[in-house]
Amino acid sequence: MKPLQDYVAAQLLHVKALKLQPHNPFTWANGWESPIYFDSRKILSYPAIRTSIKVQMARVIMEQYPDTEVIAAVAPNAIAMGMMVAELLGLPFVYIHPEPKDHGFENMIEGDLRPRQNVVLIEDQVSIGRNSLRCVDAIRKNGCKMIGLVAIFTYELQKTSQKFRDVDVELTALTNFYAVLRHAVDIGYIAESDMKVFYNWQKDPEIWRQ
């Protein structure tokens, strides 16, 4: 898996979908400061890279979850990639809102998802895991079997990993925090001396401040 992690990390850094700013941190939507930020929407503008990501995600699903019957995606950011993966695999597709809509049928699940189907959930990134886990819960409440979660990138936060273990969800990511840092140092994007900033952040991102 390591060659794939390194390859995908290089792709994401090349198109600036992943940005590293150890001395000028970003502010996440939840208010956390972070020296790293992933914008998966950038991938969609580069046909060769979005195709590569799509193919790699489909390969993971075929190899690890051959009994998959439905591809689901976390709305909104994973919808496009989820659709492409489902199309490549010739499987039905649904997408899931992390919270019920406040109008119409107030759905969380959009599309036809029948009880007892085997579902793989597609996510663009896994950080604190809140949206992913809400979607997992919706899948299970629909009477379906959640057989795996496949993401493009994970920050590998310890608390998040424990949350997934607690609810018996297997996460597979094409690349991760450590692979991205390795490649960023190799290409001179960040200095090796900056690594400690990222490691300190990852230990406890909720209270980290630059």
Side-chain angles (χ1 to χ4, degrees):
M1 191 72 175
K2 186 174 178 180
L4 173 61
Q5 293 170 353
D6 293 343
Y7 175 67
V8 174
Q11 290 182 310
L12 299 182
L13 288 167
H14 177 68
V15 299
K16 297 181 173 59
L18 270 162
K19 294 186 178 181
L20 311 179
Q21 295 182 182
H23 307 296
N24 183 26
F26 304 94
T27 300
W28 285 5
N30 63 1
W32 290 5
E33 289 188 7
S34 171
I36 180 170
Y37 185 81
F38 179 45
D39 180 3
S40 64
R41 292 159 293 195
K42 287 271 191 180
I43 298 168
L44 302 177
S45 297
Y46 297 87
I49 291 179
R50 75 171 183 242
T51 297
S52 175
I53 298 294
K54 171 187 70 176
V55 169
Q56 296 299 340
M57 295 191 97
R59 182 187 61 79
V60 167
I61 293 167
M62 288 188 294
E63 291 179 357
Q64 294 186 206
Y65 310 111
D67 296 330
T68 302
E69 296 174 296
V70 178
I71 299 296
V74 179
N77 288 352
I79 290 176
M81 187 56 65
M83 285 184 64
M84 289 189 287
V85 171
E87 181 69 18
L88 183 60
L89 294 173
L91 291 173
F93 174 74
V94 301
Y95 64 89
I96 306 175
H97 303 285
E99 296 182 358
K101 293 192 300 184
D102 59 3
H103 61 279
F105 293 112
E106 299 182 351
N107 294 335
M108 286 186 73
I109 300 173
E110 303 286 6
D112 291 328
L113 185 61
R114 299 189 301 273
R116 296 183 294 279
Q117 289 184 305
N118 294 331
V119 181
V120 165
L121 183 64
I122 300 292
E123 180 63 289
D124 64 333
Q125 61 182 303
V126 174
S127 54
I128 63 175
R130 180 178 57 199
N131 288 347
S132 302
L133 290 172
R134 286 175 176 172
C135 293
V136 168
D137 188 54
I139 289 167
R140 288 174 169 167
K141 285 181 176 177
N142 199 71
C144 295
K145 184 176 181 181
M146 172 72 196
I147 62 174
L149 170 62
V150 180
I152 300 172
F153 173 71
T154 175
Y155 292 89
E156 296 187 299
L157 303 182
Q158 292 183 4
K159 289 182 180 179
T160 302
S161 298
Q162 186 60 52
K163 289 177 185 177
F164 283 108
R165 287 193 293 269
D166 288 345
V167 295
D168 194 27
V169 172
E170 182 177 70
L171 166 65
T172 302
L174 299 187
T175 194
N176 57 59
F177 179 81
Y178 295 106
V180 166
L181 290 188
R182 283 196 305 267
H183 188 71
V185 170
D186 287 346
I187 64 175
Y189 181 10
I190 60 172
E192 191 164 358
S193 59
D194 290 328
M195 296 281 272
K196 63 183 180 181
V197 174
F198 293 91
Y199 292 146
N200 287 337
W201 171 82
Q202 197 204 31
K203 288 177 184 177
D204 204 339
E206 190 170 1
I207 64 171
W208 182 87
R209 294 292 183 273
Q210 175 60 25

